Amino acid sequence: QVQLVQSGAEVKKPGASVKVSCKASGYSFIGNYIHWVRQAPGQGLEWVGWINPKSGNTKYGKKFQDRVTMTRDTSINTVYMELNRLTSDDTGVYYCARAPTAAYDSWGQGSLVTVSS
Amino acid sequence: QSVLTQPPSVSAAPGQKVTISCSGSSSNIGDNFVSWYQQLPGTAPKLLIYDNNQRPSGIPDRFSGSKSGTSATLGITGLQTGDEADYYCGTWTSGLSSFVFGTGTKVTVL
């Protein structure tokens, strides 16, 4: 079955960077785009961007495009999202999700990122 | 700030029906497929509806979706206590430049 397993919780200081991983299994890794979605505490869902695991091409949301980098390692079926220059507003749960069509059919369990001095 | 507007909350008694609206524009819902997600407390979202009205395998037919113009609707019939959750609509913006989610609706079973 399709599974996306994310890395664990992180605590970072303002100005630092964080790198979250998402390991895929149960399907062809290069066959589907992976997206990242953020959820601040008590808030709704916010799209961060996507990566095409086959080509490595990416597209980022305007809010994040100068601070986020998405990469992949096809040898271990894993995608990464790195967010730089963290502020307290970046605190939240980051999800990876598979998008075989115009919808997200499988989600990772989420990675909590806490930014605090 | 989301461009898709949903009611903050809806409620009904067990066994009853609720509908959740998702209002957008011609540059998002009007031009693209809509999907719906259920998020139970403390868990990741789960796909309920894709391509406006299609249910993934395993989603009961108590859940239905529709779209008309620049709005979409999620319906839940035979409401159960296990349906208490937050529900989000989502779609692409024109040119697939970004994906947007609705503001979210909390469903309460009275």
Side-chain angles (χ1 to χ4, degrees):
Chain A
Q1 75 284 18
V2 175
Q3 255 194 321
L4 299 174
V5 179
Q6 299 183 222
S7 49
E10 303 260 15
V11 179
K12 297 292 182 181
K13 292 194 182 302
S17 299
V18 68
K19 192 170 186 177
V20 181
S21 68
C22 171
K23 183 174 177 60
S25 62
Y27 72 99
S28 171
F29 176 66
I30 60 172
N32 299 125
Y33 285 34
I34 293 290
H35 293 231
W36 289 89
V37 176
R38 178 171 84 176
Q39 187 168 37
Q43 302 301 308
L45 304 173
E46 182 176 31
W47 182 73
V48 179
W50 56 250
I51 181 168
N52 178 344
K54 183 175 184 179
S55 64
N57 288 347
T58 56
K59 184 165 184 65
Y60 307 136
K62 287 183 180 177
K63 183 175 179 178
F64 303 96
Q65 61 187 14
D66 61 344
R67 293 196 298 133
V68 70
T69 303
M70 296 178 187
T71 56
R72 92 292 192 210
D73 185 338
T74 56
S75 69
I76 55 172
N77 291 358
T78 300
V79 298
Y80 303 90
M81 183 209 64
E82 183 172 26
L83 191 60
N84 304 313
R85 304 194 302 277
L86 293 169
T87 72
S88 58
D89 289 342
D90 294 315
T91 292
V93 177
Y94 290 75
Y95 294 101
C96 61
R98 187 180 81 149
T101 61
Y104 305 120
D105 71 341
S106 296
W107 295 67
Q109 83 277 20
S111 298
L112 175 63
V113 175
T114 303
V115 183
S116 175
S117 55
Chain B
Q1 199 155 352
S2 177
V3 297
L4 304 182
T5 303
Q6 299 179 229
S9 64
V10 297
S11 61
Q16 297 301 302
K17 174 181 179 179
V18 295
T19 60
I20 300 171
S21 60
C22 175
S23 178
S25 70
S26 58
S27 62
N28 43 64
I29 290 179
D31 207 29
N32 294 286
F33 285 123
V34 176
S35 50
W36 288 90
Y37 304 87
Q38 176 194 61
Q39 188 175 32
L40 297 169
T43 70
K46 174 184 176 181
L47 180 64
L48 288 179
I49 298 289
Y50 67 97
D51 290 358
N52 302 332
N53 55 19
Q54 301 299 302
R55 280 177 287 105
S57 172
I59 301 299
D61 59 7
R62 300 188 298 108
F63 296 91
S64 64
S66 64
K67 173 185 145 177
S68 178
T70 60
S71 293
T73 301
L74 174 71
I76 310 174
T77 59
L79 205 59
Q80 302 175 0
T81 55
D83 297 332
E84 285 204 330
D86 294 322
Y87 292 80
Y88 296 90
C89 59
T91 189
W92 284 95
T93 59
S94 290
L96 306 183
S97 59
S98 65
F99 193 92
V100 289
F101 290 97
T103 49
T105 299
K106 182 174 182 61
V107 169
T108 301
V109 181
L110 300 171

